[in-house]
Amino acid sequence: MKPSIHRPTQIIVDRQAIKNNFLHERQLLNDETAIFAVVKANAYGHGAVAVAQTVSEVGVDGFCVATLDEALELRQAGLQETILVLGVTPVQQAELAAQMNISLTVATLEWLQQAIELLTQPLKIHLALDTGMGRIGFTQHDAVVSACEFIQQQELIIPEGIFTHFATADEADTKYFHQQVQKFKQLTTNLPLKFKYVHCANSATSLWHLDCQSNMIRFGIALYGLNPSGTALTAPYELQPALTLQTEIVHIKKVPAGQSISYGATYTSSKPEIIATLPIGYADGWLRRMSGSSVIVAGQLCPIVGRVCMDQMMIKVPQMYPLGTKVTLIGTDQQTNLSAETAAEYCDTINYEIICNLSDRIVRKYV
Ligand code: PLP
């Protein structure tokens, strides 16, 4: 989908904020630890290529994406760093990945055995270990050893990494986290093969479990300035949110008492009110569940009245404003702030989901 560039709804991405978050994290780590920026899902809504280019300027070591297509987008944009696909890629695509110098995650020996029949050039792989996430990867030490022994015999398989993913690194209760750490240690001990990268840290692990980064971290949500735990844990440095979501008033009117607004007529004015219409809706990722929450107009919080529609929504404002008046949904206006976290709490989800939902229809601008 092409972004709607002729509509005054936009995401503004602060590239310096992304660089600052990256550099703060860099300072926490020892020199041997590489940082891979996680730019899957269009860099959590921020724009994958632009974010990748931004962190490339400050020395990122590599990128993590979810799909081969996301990796290809970065290669086609000219990015040269290592790119790791975190999800399982159909083995039929192994040759394409090898051709484009893209590293793939491997979760079974069978995948390797099939890949070797198809490859004509070297493929870099990272073995996934399932230490308790229950998603993908090897669960038994002898199976990991067998995979390593198989790789040792193959010239076309390059063992670039071995990794796991933690399910609860963002929680105050560390019991399950430590069980996973133990399992990771057990699965990676006494292997017949050396991997360039041994990695287990997402943002939460890199922020709150400094002793457990191995030699590479996969830095996602915190790169964008959001706290992986929501509000449960405090980050060791100030995270700077990079994303602002803004629109403008495109229609405004006075309504009498008793006027219903939007689908289902769920809201009715109790007295004469001023209602403004905004060109953003749930097709842009501003969820229908945001009905009743607030946006900022001229530094003041104003409620969304009635249901959020697909492409538009209505807000109640305290006075008449000119058409084109700025409205902030995520960001700060005259010291009033609404964050992705505020939105997440309102609709009982996580900040990740709010930003990943922001659709390609919204134009992204970079400052
Ligand atoms: N590593 C893996 C395997 C992931 O699935 C994710 C995100 O979902 C990340 C790293 C990045 O996590 P975060 O955004 O919490 O840093």
Side-chain angles (χ1 to χ4, degrees), residues 123-140:
L123 173 71
K124 294 177 186 153
I125 62 97
H126 290 230
L127 289 186
L129 307 181
D130 183 358
T131 57
M133 180 72 183
R135 196 162 63 178
I136 53 169
F138 295 84
T139 57
Q140 301 300 325

Side-chain angles (χ1 to χ4, degrees), residues 228-240:
S229 77
T231 54
L233 303 173
T234 306
Y237 52 86
E238 196 189 338
L239 294 168
Q240 238 180 293

Side-chain angles (χ1 to χ4, degrees), residues 38 40 44 64 86 133 135 163-165 200-204 206 218-224 228 352:
V38 183
K40 60 196 171 100
Y44 298 37
C64 294
L86 293 170
M133 180 72 183
R135 196 162 63 178
F163 75 102
T164 196
H165 189 53
C200 59
N202 55 359
S203 296
S206 72
R218 307 183 302 267
F219 197 52
I221 195 79
L223 181 66
Y224 308 104
Y352 296 72

Side-chain angles (χ1 to χ4, degrees), residues 248-263:
E248 291 177 4
I249 294 175
V250 291
H251 186 75
I252 189 162
K253 59 185 177 285
K254 293 179 179 159
V255 299
Q259 170 75 57
S260 291
I261 306 288
S262 197
Y263 290 115

Side-chain angles (χ1 to χ4, degrees), residues 8 21 37 60 101 108 113 118 147 163 238-239 279 288 296 324 327 342:
N21 295 323
V60 77
N101 188 23
T108 61
Q113 289 164 337
L118 303 166
F163 75 102
E238 196 189 338
L239 294 168
R288 206 161 169 269
I296 313 169
V327 179
T342 328

Side-chain angles (χ1 to χ4, degrees), residues 13-65:
V13 178
D14 179 350
R15 294 169 78 247
Q16 193 56 48
I18 291 176
K19 287 184 180 176
N20 292 346
N21 295 323
F22 177 90
L23 293 170
H24 266 126
E25 184 59 34
R26 186 66 273 169
Q27 279 170 10
L28 275 193
L29 306 176
N30 60 36
D31 291 348
E32 284 72 53
T33 305
I35 305 183
F36 276 39
V38 183
V39 295
K40 60 196 171 100
N42 202 23
Y44 298 37
H46 294 64
V49 170
V51 169
Q53 285 165 343
T54 301
V55 284
S56 186
E57 288 167 18
V58 283
V60 77
D61 299 285
F63 302 107
C64 294
V65 292

